[in-house]
């Protein structure tokens, strides 16, 4: 059986271990920073979409308020007046 001497200095081993740990830390922190940027981008997109929805809802409520004022010559089908439904039948039962 061939016999050969394999000796590794403990300081070299410790240095390699520290270098590997540092490399792993740097790679993982880059991954986390990339994910954080992506999350921030997605959050800002959601905030913009919500702001747009709120603006549209505000416009809709304003328009609905204008229609309900009653100045319009158009009568809503869903409005009930004095016990008369949309079908023209009275509801006195």
């Amino acid at each position: 059986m061939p016999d050969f001497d394999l000796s590794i200095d403990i300081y070299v081993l410790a240095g390699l271990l520290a270098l590997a740990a540092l490399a792993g830390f740097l790679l993982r922190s880059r991954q986390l920073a990339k994910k954080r940027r992506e999350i921030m981008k997605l959050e800002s997109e959601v905030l913009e979409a919500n702001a747009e929805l709120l603006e549209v809802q505000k416009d809709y409520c304003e328009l609905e308020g204008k229609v309900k004022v009653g100045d319009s010559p158009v009568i809503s089908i869903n409005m009930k007046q004095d016990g008369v439904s949309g079908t023209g039948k009275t509801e006195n039962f």
Side-chain angles (χ1 to χ4, degrees), residues 8-89:
I8 298 177
D9 191 16
I10 190 76
Y11 297 114
V12 172
L13 184 62
L16 287 174
L17 183 65
L19 187 63
L22 182 64
F25 176 76
L26 289 175
L27 289 174
R28 184 64 182 159
S29 50
R30 273 191 180 174
Q31 286 177 345
L32 289 174
K34 184 178 178 182
K35 293 293 181 189
R36 244 183 244 119
R37 281 193 306 269
E38 188 175 343
I39 288 171
M40 293 295 288
K41 179 184 170 194
L42 291 173
E43 282 180 351
S44 67
E45 286 179 12
V46 168
L47 285 175
E48 287 175 15
N50 286 342
E52 186 177 334
L53 283 174
L54 287 173
E55 187 177 330
V56 169
Q57 181 68 28
K58 180 181 140 189
D59 293 342
Y60 174 76
C61 288
E62 288 175 359
L63 288 174
E64 193 175 54
K66 287 179 184 178
V67 169
K68 285 188 177 182
V69 170
D71 294 342
S72 176
V74 178
I75 298 172
S76 176
I77 294 175
N78 295 334
M79 288 179 91
K80 290 185 179 180
Q81 298 174 350
D82 300 329
V84 178
S85 68
T87 61
K89 298 179 184 176

